[in-house]
Amino acid sequence: MRRSKVTRLVVSMMCVGCLVMIIYFHSDVTAVLEPVRDGSSHKSRRSPLQTLYDAHHQAESAVQEIHKGRRESLEEACRSYTRKRHILLPEDLKHIIVDDQHGLLYCYVPKVACTNWKRVLMVLTGDSAPHQDPLAIPANEAHVAGNLRTLSEYSTTQINQRLHSYLKFVFVRDPFERLVSAYRNKFTQSYNTAFHKRYGTKIIQRHRLHPQPEALERGNSVTFEEFVYYLVDPATQREEPFNEHWERVHSLCHPCLVHYDVVGRYETLEQDARYILQLASVEHKVSFPVFSKGSRTTGDMAARFFHNLSPFYQKKLYNLYHMDFHLFNYSTPAYLKFI
């Protein structure tokens, strides 16, 4: 009997050893000195994380107060999220980009300025040669796998070291504005033939009555309503995970397990990006690209897309994205009809 218990204990410990052990990782500022070296050469300096929390012992600026409030709001929301897991697997960390030179971890969220953040990090990590201007890096090059390292590529020990000592940041956006932006980009642009073939044909086949042969073949005429039917259809996620462009932020970045030090918002993108670059002391090396706001998906634009969507499907869609609204403190949009 005793031998059986010991055997079970050993097996249990071996299984746990296969996982990345993280239990809602809070940063211990007293242990933060500078980025993990791992053989890389960089000068001794204060880490961005140390700079962030040292600033709290000084007179706090308005920007620091805003970010402190966002952290506290997220932590409070996570405490009420009783279904959260307590263990992360390496595959959960595929969206977290690592900058070992400057001690940064960035969880990228598609349709929340992630292309420009990847460009900036390519400049900072030296992976953009010969480009020093982020906007000189082609957008498709910024998304090439392997140009930037992700946290999932490191060993368990290295992962935990970086989660403990690097500045972790993520950018979020109103969930429905992000969703409409993804729809506009992936289903209304003629050049996105890969998405039309991969998703459009399936959506039309399943959710359009009497589709024309051309629509079934090309998949380039998906309506927003059909896109929503696809998202809320239980069969969709049973078959495969959501594409990252419409996957929920909490599923991509696990904010109740990874303690993000800075939660940037798309609505205050330029201010928040400047704040992070200042914390990393790299504002003299690179500037976050400023782009035209004319093409951005706004709340008014999202309201127009939701106008013809029935209250029944509005509610189903809201329930699907409710956790992102809740965790990141976004108000329920006034244009929803089920309220």
Side-chain angles (χ1 to χ4, degrees), residues 300-319:
D300 289 342
M301 189 180 296
R304 292 197 293 272
F305 278 87
F306 274 79
H307 180 72
N308 294 324
L309 194 63
S310 72
F312 175 79
Y313 280 103
Q314 286 185 5
K315 185 170 180 60
K316 287 180 76 72
L317 191 66
Y318 181 78
N319 289 341

Side-chain angles (χ1 to χ4, degrees), residues 213-229:
E214 182 181 3
L216 285 171
E217 180 184 355
R218 300 179 65 181
N220 63 346
S221 59
V222 173
T223 66
F224 183 68
E225 290 78 9
E226 290 168 340
F227 178 50
V228 171
Y229 302 156

Side-chain angles (χ1 to χ4, degrees), residues 32-74:
V32 176
L33 297 177
E34 54 185 272
V36 179
R37 294 186 180 278
D38 263 11
S40 59
S41 59
H42 47 264
K43 298 177 181 178
S44 177
R45 56 183 173 81
R46 286 155 51 92
S47 75
L49 191 61
Q50 188 180 44
T51 300
L52 172 68
Y53 287 101
D54 275 0
H56 289 177
H57 298 294
Q58 306 166 10
E60 293 187 346
S61 69
V63 175
Q64 289 167 342
E65 286 284 2
I66 288 171
H67 287 283
K68 180 181 178 183
R70 289 179 188 172
R71 284 194 301 275
E72 292 173 350
S73 175
L74 178 57

